[in-house]
Amino acid sequence: MPSPRAEPAAAAFVPGAGQSRLYQRLQRRYASELPLLPPGAPVPATMAAACDALRARGYDTGGALRVLRQLVLQRLVALDCQDRAPLEQITRAMTALAELALDSACRQARQELDQRHGAPCGPDGQPVPLWIIGMGKLGARELNVSSDIDLIYVYQHDGETAGTADGRGRISNHEYFARAVKAIYSLVGETTEHGFVFRVDLALRPHGNCGPAALSLPALEEYLQLHGREWERFAWLKSRVVAPRDCIVSPEVQALRGVVLPFVFRRYLDYGVFAALRTLHRQIRDHAAKRSAGHPERANDVKLSRGGIREIEFTVQLLQVVRGGQFPELRCRPTLAALQRLAQAALMPRETAAALTQAYVFLRQVEHRIQYLDDQQTHVLPTRDDDLAWIAHTLDYQDCRAFLRQLDAHRELVAQEFDRLLGSQEKKQCHGGGCGGPRVAPPPELQTLLEQLPPGLRERVAEWRHHPRVAGLRDETRERLFRLVQRSAQWLDAGHVSAEAAVRLVDWLETLLRRESYLALLLERPSVHEQLLQLLGAAKWPARYLLQHPGVIDELVGDTLLAERFVVADFERELAQRLAALQTTREDDDETLLNLLRRAQHAETFRTLARDVARRITVEQVADDLSALADSVLRVTAQWCWQRLKTRHREQPQFAVIGYGKLGGKELGYGSDLDIVFVFDDDDERAPEVYAALVRKLINWLTVKTGEGDLYEIDTALRPNGNSGLLVTRFEAYANYQQQRGSNTAWTWEHQAMTRARCVMGSPALRARFDAVRTAVITSAREPQALRAQIVAMRERVRAAHPTPAGRFDVKHSPGGMVDAEFAVQYLVLSQSAAHPALRDNVGNIALLQRAERAGLLPAGTGQAAADAYRALRRAQHLARLDEAPTQLAPPAMQAERDAVLALWQAVFPDEPENRSSHTVSAR
């Protein structure tokens, strides 16, 4: 980097575009042609008109395209350096010029070849399209003013041409398209008296410069599957068909997308690309170092040097490739747009994305000014003082010092972010071409590893001696595996993790030996490795969940996981974005959407689990978040199912889902099933059949097991007439059933369930109607003694179905357990809510007990004591289930809580025979 210095006296320059020697030359040489390009920014229509005008003046296609480039360049220099046009206006214009040139050249080349050889034909005689695929900046619509264009030519089918009318001239499709590539190059890439249109580079094609100039789609697919290298995934990330124009939106292009997308974006989180990017970046830096050896001025390369444009692109592309398989909304070609999407997905702090955006725009504008000087494909700062002063002036800096300070600041920020992303492995200086990252000891062999492990862990890992999948691992994968075990043992020795956690990690790793990306993630991110060990050591259920859904460990990468809570709007917005991204690439088939829903639900469940285990949220907050998640999944799934229902008869369904039980009471736990009832309010004669189809589809989407697991188990037994009733009920019939109108009406236990029911999805009108029905049901006049007898009888039936061994206390089902408190609350609501409106709200058992005491329905202190006991019992049950432990305790455990609930029962159901029989556990 040139050091800041005072402005030399000789640093005179011409303001605006005039300093550009390219601009001066174009002004002189093409003065008569310049007016052919209408005023303003060049756009496809004006460029096409100018090209036609040039042809009318006698230029052939190649000549017209070359002169058009000169006209566009002259205009862009003026727009950029005098009018301060935005970066996107410049890059879009250059990209449009490339697309126009390639389209014109392709059409002419194929027309000439068809006349000599006939059109190429596929297996069934169909025409065979040629796709010109733009890579890199052309694919992303980010071409700079002296960019070369990276192209790959692909044709759809092998075969041969139709030949001429007299049956002559037949050649293979392969030869036909190879000749087409040469003809296109002669029209676009060859240098003539008017220069070239674009420099053309085919080095990114399969097998590089040794490969064929054009290849068939099956050959491309075979290459990507068998020979595609990691760095090529970054190259294909920005690929798109850029010409010919009539092929860009053709249905056949979907076949090409179907080959490329699975290669670039893997199904699972893909941290294995870190090593590949390090290698590629090291090669680029080494090449830049060799170029600048003996030429110190070449070290100031705004593209390839440390902190340059390439490092911003690598930073963005790495995050896209790692997560783009699971988060399709990240699949976006332009760098600036991708930065915004990464920030929206919380994969990059918004401040960082904004800073990288500013740096990218600044560096690209500097790059353009370097190239405006002489139209050279260079990214190195000029050494002439007047050129450097002109660049500073056209970027609105007073002098070179201010410009260079800003350049240094941007490059330092970019370099720091890039080094941080790659684990700071590139910070050391390169000497003799060696920038290989930190020196680490070679990985141990298994026997050596075992000698380093403590006894319990050693015995578990020793089983790998005869494990066929461990023996069959690639050397690189085995190295990662052993290093992870080695690091875990070191943390165990230091007391950072438990022995149980280390053994559970080995169990977890053993099931994932074929998913190498997870090993790469843990090795790349020690903080994720450590948090994973903490979770595995906390309880058995988290360990089991991680075995079932290993992909959720990516949630541990972020810094804000433990500090956040579930946000419904964010969850549904992200799903909508992913759906839109899949629709763009026509990947929105049922299986893909099923897996998308499952990955999202599993990730959010895991996030709640991590906060729970870390004691960042209470049991009540866990239940609130899991219930809100279930509500959201039901809403989104119902919307998607309705949109994909072929028999739907209206845009928005007149349909609602009523939640009962733990869902209705917002008390869901991990793995809880959903008690739901479906209703509709639609007078269309097709409605019963349509909504029945919707419910069948919805239940299937929620319960079917895919490669990503399932969402929820569904229980619809609480619908009118239970399992013998209709799967979806007209709302009027549902209301009549609940409100005792007609001969077929609800039982008391169904009204007990109604106390915890709520409308979890549906239109505002349906929600209001349901709330009115629920209020009418729970406030109906009832004979207290009969109601008391029915509820006590139901309580006895439930207890009989869940017997508890003698001398044990079941926190849920034993006398004095959670169910006693729940039945007491239900009796209070059904018998007293007509006179006490505060009991009508579905606010949960704890709040209702407190309200009942305040209303004078319970002795002073009884309601609050029972509420506190219920909270403690819920927590005990929750912790036991987390560790897959029994919920039956030995006395005197939780005796105070049990006594508080028994006191509640006595207050609500005095002198009931079952109450007198509910003697203490300790007396049994």
Side-chain angles (χ1 to χ4, degrees):
M1 174 64 59
S3 58
R5 52 186 180 271
E7 290 294 313
F13 60 84
V14 180
Q19 177 74 14
S20 164
R21 291 177 284 279
L22 167 65
Y23 184 84
Q24 297 168 15
R25 177 172 60 79
L26 296 178
Q27 288 278 84
R28 291 193 301 269
R29 173 118 190 230
Y30 296 102
S32 62
E33 287 87 358
L34 289 174
L36 296 178
L37 190 63
V43 295
T46 59
M47 285 189 276
C51 191
D52 291 341
L54 288 166
R55 287 195 187 97
R57 290 193 176 191
Y59 290 98
D60 61 15
T61 298
L65 291 172
R66 284 166 173 77
V67 173
L68 176 62
R69 175 184 184 265
Q70 312 301 342
L71 307 186
V72 170
L73 282 180
Q74 187 272 347
R75 179 66 50 78
L76 294 182
V77 176
L79 287 171
D80 199 354
C81 298
Q82 293 177 180
D83 299 341
R84 305 298 192 265
L87 173 65
E88 185 180 21
Q89 194 173 88
I90 308 302
T91 56
R92 287 277 178 160
M94 291 304 300
T95 301
L97 175 63
E99 292 169 348
L100 172 65
L102 290 169
D103 180 69
S104 300
C106 184
R107 284 189 286 108
Q108 178 167 315
R110 292 207 59 173
Q111 183 179 9
E112 293 172 354
L113 286 168
D114 286 355
Q115 290 174 354
R116 294 197 295 269
H117 305 289
C121 301
D124 300 319
Q126 73 271 36
V128 177
L130 172 66
W131 299 313
I132 304 179
I133 301 172
M135 311 289 282
K137 287 185 169 61
L138 173 56
R141 297 182 174 89
E142 297 173 330
L143 280 182
N144 62 48
V145 291
S146 287
S147 283
D148 57 5
I149 51 177
D150 295 297
L151 303 178
I152 295 178
Y153 293 89
V154 177
Y155 55 93
Q156 191 170 17
H157 298 291
D158 280 315
E160 64 177 11
T161 63
T164 58
D166 58 6
R168 308 174 72 178
R170 280 198 182 93
I171 58 175
S172 68
N173 288 354
H174 178 76
E175 186 176 354
Y176 174 98
F177 289 114
R179 295 182 183 184
V181 171
K182 289 182 180 179
I184 292 169
Y185 178 79
S186 69
L187 290 168
V188 175
E190 287 184 352
T191 302
T192 70
E193 61 177 316
H194 296 292
F196 49 80
V197 189
F198 284 96
R199 304 174 188 87
V200 177
D201 191 341
L202 303 183
L204 291 178
R205 69 188 186 272
H207 303 293
N209 292 328
C210 298
L215 76 166
S216 67
L217 182 60
L220 173 64
E221 182 173 18
E222 180 181 7
Y223 172 83
L224 294 180
Q225 289 181 352
L226 301 179
H227 308 291
R229 290 159 290 182
E230 293 291 345
W231 68 262
E232 289 178 285
R233 295 171 61 196
F234 293 95
W236 281 94
L237 172 65
K238 294 191 174 188
S239 66
R240 68 182 175 94
V241 175
V242 296
R245 189 176 297 121
D246 57 359
C247 285
I248 292 175
V249 295
S250 66
E252 291 82 2
V253 171
Q254 184 61 30
L256 177 61
R257 291 195 191 102
V259 169
V260 173
L261 284 175
F263 172 67
V264 177
F265 302 109
R266 303 296 163 83
R267 178 180 176 186
Y268 299 105
L269 297 170
D270 194 9
Y271 277 80
V273 297
F274 274 74
L277 184 59
R278 283 197 190 98
T279 300
L280 177 59
H281 185 253
R282 183 169 62 246
Q283 292 171 348
I284 291 172
R285 278 195 176 173
D286 287 352
H287 178 66
K290 290 175 182 177
R291 286 179 64 249
S292 62
H295 301 277
E297 72 280 358
R298 294 181 183 174
N300 296 312
D301 190 314
V302 297
K303 179 180 180 180
L304 301 179
S305 293
R306 184 173 184 271
I309 296 167
R310 181 58 54 83
E311 291 192 356
I312 300 176
E313 294 171 339
F314 277 177
T315 297
V316 172
Q317 291 170 14
L318 179 59
L319 293 172
Q320 288 180 290
V321 169
V322 167
R323 294 176 173 83
Q326 292 199 347
F327 304 108
E329 69 271 24
L330 300 180
R331 302 174 191 175
C332 130
R333 300 180 185 93
T335 301
L336 294 178
L339 278 167
Q340 298 310 308
R341 295 197 186 188
L342 290 169
Q344 290 169 3
L347 297 175
M348 177 183 289
R350 291 188 181 274
E351 299 77 12
T352 300
L356 290 177
T357 295
Q358 293 176 1
Y360 182 80
V361 171
F362 177 87
L363 293 171
R364 289 297 307 272
Q365 289 177 331
V366 173
E367 175 188 47
H368 284 164
R369 281 151 178 76
I370 292 170
Q371 295 170 351
Y372 290 149
L373 290 169
D374 297 294
D375 192 22
Q376 295 297 307
Q377 190 184 16
T378 179
H379 317 278
V380 177
L381 285 177
T383 55
R384 283 178 47 170
D385 290 332
D386 58 337
D387 288 345
L388 195 62
W390 175 75
I391 290 176
H393 174 78
T394 58
L395 288 171
D396 296 324
Y397 291 94
Q398 291 184 347
D399 54 36
C400 290
R401 285 194 192 91
F403 163 68
L404 293 174
R405 279 196 298 269
Q406 186 64 73
L407 178 62
D408 280 340
H410 282 310
R411 288 175 58 177
E412 184 59 30
L413 179 139
V414 170
Q416 288 178 1
E417 285 301 317
F418 184 78
D419 289 342
R420 183 193 59 78
L421 185 64
L422 288 186
S424 302
Q425 296 205 27
E426 296 288 336
K427 288 185 178 179
K428 64 193 288 287
Q429 292 293 317
C430 302
H431 298 288
C435 278
R439 297 182 180 276
V440 294
E445 293 298 324
L446 181 56
Q447 184 57 42
T448 306
L449 175 63
L450 291 172
E451 293 170 0
Q452 301 172 6
L453 304 181
L457 184 58
R458 182 191 311 134
E459 293 168 5
R460 179 64 183 86
V461 176
E463 298 174 19
W464 286 353
R465 286 195 181 107
H466 309 294
H467 198 297
R469 282 197 292 172
V470 174
L473 292 175
R474 297 186 304 119
D475 290 344
E476 181 184 8
T477 306
R478 188 183 299 108
E479 174 184 342
R480 286 173 173 163
L481 177 64
F482 288 1
R483 286 197 189 283
L484 287 172
V485 175
Q486 192 176 39
R487 184 198 284 166
S488 301
Q490 292 168 354
W491 289 342
L492 177 57
D493 289 342
H496 298 319
V497 300
S498 68
E500 194 171 36
V503 172
R504 286 176 181 167
L505 177 70
V506 173
D507 295 338
W508 187 80
L509 291 172
E510 196 171 274
T511 64
L512 298 169
L513 293 178
R514 294 183 180 178
R515 299 186 186 178
E516 299 178 13
S517 60
Y518 293 121
L519 304 182
L521 164 60
L522 296 177
L523 205 57
E524 290 288 343
R525 294 286 186 265
S527 62
V528 175
H529 181 191
E530 186 171 10
Q531 287 186 72
L532 176 61
L533 280 165
Q534 298 293 345
L535 276 167
L536 290 172
K540 292 179 182 177
W541 196 87
R544 187 181 304 278
Y545 194 79
L546 283 160
L547 282 170
Q548 294 172 340
H549 311 295
V552 298
I553 64 169
D554 186 54
E555 301 301 317
L556 297 174
V557 175
D559 298 327
T560 60
L561 167 65
L562 297 181
E564 295 176 339
R565 290 283 300 278
F566 175 66
V567 179
V568 170
D570 292 347
F571 179 76
E572 296 187 8
R573 185 186 66 250
E574 289 168 8
L575 281 176
Q577 290 173 343
R578 288 168 199 169
L579 174 62
L582 290 170
Q583 289 171 333
T584 300
T585 54
R586 301 179 188 176
E587 296 176 276
D588 58 327
D589 57 276
D590 281 6
E591 183 179 2
T592 299
L593 297 191
L594 287 169
N595 287 329
L596 173 59
L597 286 167
R598 281 150 179 74
R599 284 194 296 268
Q601 192 263 3
H602 297 159
E604 285 299 339
T605 301
F606 177 74
R607 291 165 70 87
T608 299
L609 175 63
R611 296 165 193 145
D612 181 12
V613 169
R615 305 291 189 265
R616 297 297 184 93
I617 53 178
T618 65
V619 174
E620 289 80 10
Q621 290 172 322
V622 170
D624 286 343
D625 287 358
L626 292 178
S627 300
L629 173 61
D631 291 358
S632 191
V633 170
L634 282 168
R635 273 195 302 274
V636 172
T637 308
Q639 290 167 4
W640 290 6
C641 287
W642 181 255
Q643 291 301 319
R644 304 173 82 81
L645 195 67
K646 295 179 181 178
T647 58
R648 65 189 175 102
H649 59 294
R650 60 169 68 243
E651 189 60 31
Q652 294 297 328
Q654 299 299 312
F655 171 80
V657 177
I658 311 302
Y660 285 83
K662 293 190 176 186
L663 175 63
K666 297 184 180 180
E667 294 181 349
L668 280 187
Y670 304 112
S672 293
D673 59 2
L674 304 184
D675 294 300
I676 50 181
V677 169
F678 305 101
V679 296
F680 69 93
D681 186 28
D682 191 330
D683 293 331
D684 192 288
E685 63 180 9
R686 297 164 292 179
E689 183 179 344
V690 171
Y691 291 113
L694 170 63
V695 168
R696 287 193 296 270
K697 189 177 188 70
L698 176 57
I699 291 176
N700 177 259
W701 274 48
L702 292 169
T703 61
V704 68
K705 290 188 182 296
T706 71
E708 298 288 344
D710 60 5
L711 287 170
Y712 296 100
E713 292 295 325
I714 301 298
D715 189 341
T716 61
L718 286 171
R719 66 188 188 269
N721 299 308
N723 290 328
S724 62
L726 296 172
L727 197 55
V728 58
T729 307
R730 192 178 294 277
F731 186 83
E732 183 180 5
Y734 171 82
N736 290 339
Y737 179 83
Q738 293 291 350
Q739 293 178 266
Q740 310 288 313
R741 292 198 290 258
S743 58
N744 181 31
T745 60
W747 295 76
T748 298
W749 66 265
E750 292 177 280
H751 286 174
Q752 288 180 249
M754 198 69 159
T755 64
R756 305 177 72 189
R758 64 188 176 90
C759 183
V760 299
M761 70 150 287
S763 67
L766 261 178
R767 287 176 181 270
R769 292 185 66 189
F770 167 78
D771 289 341
V773 169
R774 177 182 177 275
T775 299
V777 168
I778 65 175
T779 59
S780 294
R782 294 176 174 87
E783 201 285 310
Q785 197 64 32
L787 176 64
R788 182 182 295 115
Q790 290 169 334
I791 290 181
V792 169
M794 178 56 67
R795 174 68 188 98
E796 282 304 303
R797 290 178 59 187
V798 172
R799 181 174 298 156
H802 298 86
T804 303
R808 308 292 290 181
F809 170 62
D810 188 308
V811 298
K812 182 174 182 180
H813 292 290
S814 288
M818 295 167 61
V819 175
D820 277 2
E822 292 165 356
F823 273 56
V825 169
Q826 290 164 15
Y827 173 78
L828 289 170
V829 170
L830 292 177
S831 64
Q832 302 295 332
S833 61
H836 299 278
L839 297 182
R840 299 173 190 174
D841 299 331
N842 185 357
V843 291
N845 292 302
I846 293 173
L848 287 171
L849 284 167
Q850 294 167 336
R851 292 185 181 190
E853 181 177 323
R854 287 197 295 269
L857 301 174
L858 295 172
T862 301
Q864 185 60 56
D868 294 340
Y870 187 79
R871 179 182 287 111
L873 291 167
R874 274 187 67 188
R875 177 161 181 76
Q877 180 193 54
H878 179 75
L879 293 176
R881 288 180 173 176
L882 270 182
D883 205 32
E884 298 181 349
T887 57
Q888 297 169 351
L889 310 176
M894 309 208 79
Q895 186 68 47
E897 288 79 9
R898 183 178 165 280
D899 289 343
V901 174
L902 286 174
L904 168 69
W905 186 272
Q906 179 65 43
V908 176
F909 302 109
D911 303 321
E912 285 294 331
E914 70 84 27
N915 194 60
R916 290 194 296 271
S917 69
S918 299
H919 47 277
T920 63
V921 173
S922 56
R924 288 181 179 176

